[in-house]
Amino acid sequence: MPGGRSLEKSTSKCARIWKGKKEDYMNVDKQEALFPATIMPDPDWWQALWPDPLRVVQDLGVTTGMSVLDLCCGDGYFTAALAKQVENGEVFGLDLDTQMLAAAESACAGLRNCSFLQGDAMDLHQLLPKPVDYCLMANTFHGVPEQTALAREIARVLKPGGLFAVVNWHARPREETPVLGQARGPRTELRMTPERVRTVVEPAGFQQVDVITLPPYHYGSLFRLRG
């Protein structure tokens, strides 16, 4: 992953679930206990898994001219693809981790339609300067304890009829999702089916409009804001 760091040192966090001491925030072991399976992966196997991030965001329905929020953007792997896809649109990347945001800025160097925000996803309505057409949350939703509450906050920053996409690993045993010869992805018990995602997101004012297959091991649940 461009700008990425090793599995043992990298994190992408954005939901308000850190309740320990501030000095413990960058302790990876303690983070993993509260932000389950949202550690940024090593770049070699991540690129093998997602060789064409631009195609992924196209398949998820991101189009030219959109304003997009990349929520829990990590080191910007998908942020850069979003910026290229929207062309004259605008992309905001948000993460709690300032080191990840620095890596994301590096990944998006030369792309003038990207802005980055540091903060808590549960405060989105206070952080984003304006509503957006689309919110992407890739490979982190499974680790958010208060998923419906987060979906409600996302609803607050979308334009009427805006879209919210959750990219998840399929709910298969972890040993069945190898990349470069090793089992990858979140623990089996943390994986969510599309139906489970629907049941926690729709109460926040959304309607599921599609489930997109993202080979080899992912899907995208696409929701539209009602009203």
Side-chain angles (χ1 to χ4, degrees):
M1 181 180 298
R5 292 170 290 152
S6 70
L7 178 64
E8 291 76 16
K9 296 181 180 179
S10 304
T11 58
S12 174
K13 310 286 181 268
C14 58
R16 182 188 297 144
I17 48 181
W18 184 259
K19 300 179 181 178
K21 298 178 181 178
K22 289 183 179 179
E23 59 268 27
D24 288 339
Y25 179 76
M26 291 308 295
N27 182 310
V28 172
D29 290 337
K30 293 182 179 181
Q31 286 185 24
E32 174 63 11
L34 293 178
F35 303 89
T38 58
I39 300 298
M40 290 295 296
D42 284 332
D44 54 354
W45 72 262
W46 199 240
Q47 290 176 345
L49 181 61
W50 301 107
D52 190 355
L54 182 60
R55 176 62 183 270
V56 172
V57 301
Q58 290 171 344
D59 288 347
L60 291 170
V62 177
T63 59
T64 300
M66 277 185 167
S67 55
V68 181
L69 169 64
D70 187 4
L71 186 56
C72 301
C73 67
D75 68 0
Y77 193 65
F78 285 107
T79 319
L82 289 167
K84 294 172 185 176
Q85 176 63 12
V86 301
E87 295 182 350
N88 62 335
E90 190 172 12
V91 175
F92 299 94
L94 183 141
D95 207 281
L96 266 181
D97 189 325
T98 55
Q99 292 179 317
M100 283 284 93
L101 287 173
E105 289 181 354
S106 178
C108 294
L111 298 170
R112 298 185 178 182
N113 57 349
C114 292
S115 301
F116 292 94
L117 305 167
Q118 190 274 331
D120 190 323
M122 296 303 291
D123 296 325
L124 273 179
H125 71 284
Q126 300 176 30
L127 296 169
L128 275 182
K130 54 188 175 182
V132 295
D133 298 303
Y134 195 111
C135 176
L136 171 65
M137 193 169 186
N139 300 296
T140 51
F141 191 73
H142 65 270
V144 177
E146 299 177 3
Q147 292 166 335
T148 302
L150 180 58
R152 288 195 180 100
E153 186 64 14
I154 292 168
R156 296 180 71 176
V157 302
L158 285 175
K159 295 177 183 179
L163 297 170
F164 172 37
V166 176
V167 173
N168 272 339
W169 293 76
H170 276 295
R172 296 169 56 182
R174 190 172 187 267
E175 59 270 20
E176 293 183 6
T177 56
V179 183
L180 299 183
Q182 294 186 38
R184 306 290 188 177
R187 299 192 303 271
T188 301
E189 66 271 19
L190 291 174
R191 300 184 182 211
M192 303 176 70
T193 64
E195 176 62 19
R196 175 59 184 159
V197 176
R198 186 188 67 78
T199 62
V200 298
V201 171
E202 285 194 338
F206 290 94
Q207 181 177 0
Q208 188 176 68
V209 294
D210 203 359
V211 178
I212 299 109
T213 299
L214 301 171
Y217 304 133
H218 286 72
Y219 65 89
S221 287
L222 187 64
F223 298 88
R224 187 178 299 278
L225 186 64
R226 294 193 185 99

